[in-house]
Amino acid sequence: MKIIAGNWKMNGTREKLKDMITALQNVDTENKMILCVPYTMLSIESGKASLGAQDVSTHDHGAYTGEVSAQMIAEAGAKYVIVGHSERRQYHNETNDIVRQKAEAALSAGLTPIVCVGETMDEKQAGKTMEIIESGVRESIPNDIDKAVIVAYEPRWAIGAGLTPTTEEIAEAHKLIADTLTSMGLAGTPVLYGASVKGSNASEIMSIPNVDGVLVGGASLKPDDFIPIITSVK
Ligand code: 13P
């Protein structure tokens, strides 16, 4: 069983989500299907899939105009929330410390956070990939938790770029993440790969050791692109 999660980013409509959910009803799979969609779509009946949000406030309520709390997200019907996505880190200056607070907020409301880590092109070229990944995992995941989290490795330079790391690079990153999680007492935490996943590379990527699923951006928006990814693996 793999976890196949879509990240719709700021795309789609409620009607398009309903169409996707209808299409997923006919997919014969044991894999776990998650769609992380804009807040305005979270109340839609999600059928065989589960819904997630894409960000959450670190606060639980109060004078924070424009923010949405974990409790509100849960109340709307979501089970998951992405925290620390590359685009949040890039455009909203989210640090590992902020991401950890968001993950804590999610957990306290009963949501499963999907915690994203990954290196930029500058960090990769400076030979810092492993250091960034390990500190991302150690600093973005709350300590002493006994609840489920999911980690997503997203090499930031590869997102939306049609680029993917080599099989060896993905294997090395995922082994480091799995080992780091084990040393934190979180052995068995699922680790997803994300960046330029599509139907043609999904099964190869998910056959790499320690890759427990994928987090898909652009190719999760249309059933014709997303369903082949879901059915590419058992
Ligand atoms: P793409 O699949 O479009 O590269 O996006 C990946 C991503 O950011 C998923 O969260």
Side-chain angles (χ1 to χ4, degrees):
M1 198 275 288
K2 300 284 189 186
I3 298 171
I4 316 289
N7 174 10
W8 276 24
K9 308 192 180 183
M10 198 172 70
N11 293 297
T13 60
R14 290 170 60 89
E15 281 314 304
K16 285 206 169 105
L17 180 58
K18 285 180 195 164
D19 290 347
M20 175 65 83
I21 287 164
T22 302
L24 295 183
Q25 286 307 104
N26 301 320
V27 177
D28 183 19
T29 182
E30 308 261 288
N31 296 325
K32 171 91 196 139
M33 302 183 282
I34 303 171
L35 291 165
C36 296
V37 293
Y39 294 129
T40 52
M41 304 176 198
L42 289 177
S43 57
I44 289 170
E45 174 52 53
S46 64
K48 279 190 187 177
S50 300
L51 296 185
Q54 302 170 7
D55 183 36
V56 61
S57 178
T58 57
H59 305 286
D60 56 12
H61 68 278
Y64 301 103
T65 302
E67 296 203 26
V68 179
S69 76
Q71 195 63 50
M72 293 167 183
I73 291 169
E75 186 184 40
K79 299 273 182 273
Y80 298 86
V81 60
I82 296 173
V83 293
H85 188 275
S86 163
E87 288 142 21
R88 300 293 313 175
R89 291 177 186 261
Q90 182 178 352
Y91 304 131
H92 300 271
N93 301 319
E94 291 189 8
T95 58
N96 288 338
D97 188 41
I98 292 172
V99 174
R100 192 187 63 255
Q101 292 176 48
K102 293 189 170 200
E104 279 165 1
L107 288 166
S108 67
L111 297 169
T112 299
I114 302 175
V115 182
C116 299
V117 298
E119 77 285 1
T120 63
M121 182 53 99
D122 284 352
E123 289 160 348
K124 178 179 168 63
Q125 284 172 342
K128 291 190 175 159
T129 298
M130 293 296 126
E131 190 186 313
I132 293 293
I133 292 173
E134 183 170 350
S135 59
V137 172
R138 288 198 186 279
E139 294 169 15
S140 304
I141 295 178
N143 287 325
D144 299 327
I145 50 169
D146 56 4
K147 297 186 187 121
V149 296
I150 296 174
V151 174
Y153 170 54
E154 297 208 316
R156 294 170 60 177
W157 51 272
I159 293 175
L163 300 169
T164 42
T166 63
T167 301
E168 291 71 29
E169 285 172 326
I170 297 176
E172 195 185 358
H174 278 252
K175 167 129 188 21
L176 173 64
I177 294 170
D179 290 348
T180 305
L181 288 165
T182 300
S183 78
M184 294 167 71
L186 295 170
T189 294
V191 184
L192 314 184
Y193 169 81
S196 300
V197 175
K198 40 191 190 280
S200 56
N201 62 14
S203 82
E204 190 185 337
I205 290 171
M206 284 188 273
S207 69
I208 299 171
N210 301 306
V211 177
D212 303 304
V214 285
L215 180 56
V216 185
S220 70
L221 293 170
K222 292 187 196 144
D224 284 355
D225 295 329
F226 195 41
I227 291 172
I229 297 174
I230 298 165
T231 56
S232 72
V233 287
K234 287 273 177 246

